Amino acid sequence: MNLRKAVIVLAVTLFFVSCSSLRFKIPNEDAQIENNIYNQYLSIADSYYNLQNYTKAIEYYKLALKNKDNYWNTYYKIARCYALSNNWIEAENYYTVLLERDPSNAALKSSVAYIYANTNKTDEALKIYDELIEQYPEVSEYLENKISILLLQDKIKESEKLFSHLKETFPDSKKIETIQNAIDSKKKSN
């Protein structure tokens, strides 16, 4: 009798397993599959990013944007790829949106200032660096970048004054020699 029950259970089990129309769905299975696809796009994009193939990375990051869970992280990665590929117009578009969303983010402000400096919007870049220097006087990078922009504008006296401040405040700055050489070069050419 036990053998008969076992055969019946086996037959019923095989019937349900082999019948695809009776497949049991896992709750949220479709959403999980879709989420996995977007995560794969993100992984592929990250691989291209690591290979410094920013064009391909952007292509896959844009596909991954459809995943709302990673939207802003992916959006930032697109902005960064545009900046690293020197596509300043697109980089500015993306970073501006990010900065509007998070206006107190110093890293985003610095990125926008850097983009402005590379698109000859030096006055706008200087305004941002002034704000950053005031808010974060302990960060040498903002002061160094401001000096570099002033040198681009041939404002030698102003850059020398800030350079003296940089040397006093950040004597271990790795940019001191580079900036000194740039100032000396500007003086010779003027």
Side-chain angles (χ1 to χ4, degrees):
M1 193 86 152
N2 278 340
L3 182 59
R4 186 176 173 174
K5 285 182 183 179
V7 170
I8 292 172
V9 169
L10 180 62
V12 170
T13 303
L14 287 175
F15 174 76
F16 282 115
V17 168
S18 65
C19 189
S20 63
S21 64
L22 296 176
R23 183 177 174 272
F24 294 105
K25 284 192 100 176
I26 299 170
N28 296 322
E29 181 178 19
D30 291 338
Q32 275 297 341
I33 290 170
E34 189 175 303
N35 196 36
N36 287 341
I37 291 169
Y38 295 135
N39 286 334
Q40 287 299 315
Y41 288 147
L42 192 58
S43 178
I44 293 167
D46 287 341
S47 295
Y48 278 120
Y49 176 87
N50 291 333
L51 293 171
Q52 298 179 350
N53 185 340
Y54 303 120
T55 303
K56 276 296 211 186
I58 291 167
E59 180 182 327
Y60 282 94
Y61 283 136
K62 285 184 175 181
L63 292 170
L65 271 180
K66 294 176 184 169
N67 181 347
K68 300 304 176 201
D69 294 337
N70 292 325
Y71 184 85
W72 289 110
N73 181 41
T74 304
Y75 195 91
Y76 171 78
K77 289 179 177 186
I78 293 170
R80 184 146 170 79
C81 284
Y82 279 127
L84 290 170
S85 61
N86 298 330
N87 185 338
W88 303 118
I89 294 169
E90 288 298 324
E92 182 179 343
N93 292 337
Y94 276 80
Y95 273 106
T96 301
V97 169
L98 290 166
L99 191 55
E100 286 171 1
R101 187 169 183 272
D102 188 3
S104 62
N105 187 313
L108 292 175
K109 285 181 184 180
S110 180
S111 294
V112 170
Y114 186 80
I115 291 165
Y116 285 163
N118 280 288
T119 55
N120 296 320
K121 298 178 183 176
T122 53
D123 290 336
E124 291 93 333
L126 287 172
K127 286 178 190 173
I128 293 172
Y129 282 126
D130 284 339
E131 182 181 317
L132 289 169
I133 291 166
E134 185 177 320
Q135 290 177 338
Y136 305 98
E138 71 281 1
V139 179
S140 65
E141 178 186 342
Y142 304 143
L143 187 57
E144 295 161 351
N145 291 346
K146 181 177 180 179
I147 295 167
S148 297
I149 293 171
L150 290 171
L151 287 170
L152 286 173
Q153 293 180 329
D154 289 327
K155 295 181 179 177
I156 298 168
K157 290 191 189 261
E158 195 175 340
S159 61
E160 284 181 310
K161 181 180 174 186
L162 285 177
F163 182 59
S164 293
H165 177 67
L166 176 71
K167 289 190 297 186
E168 289 172 18
T169 311
F170 304 102
D172 295 334
S173 170
K174 294 177 181 173
K175 302 273 180 141
I176 288 177
E177 185 177 337
T178 304
I179 293 171
Q180 182 66 62
N181 291 338
I183 289 172
D184 293 342
S185 177
K186 283 286 184 180
K187 283 181 172 179
K188 286 178 186 175
S189 66
N190 284 343

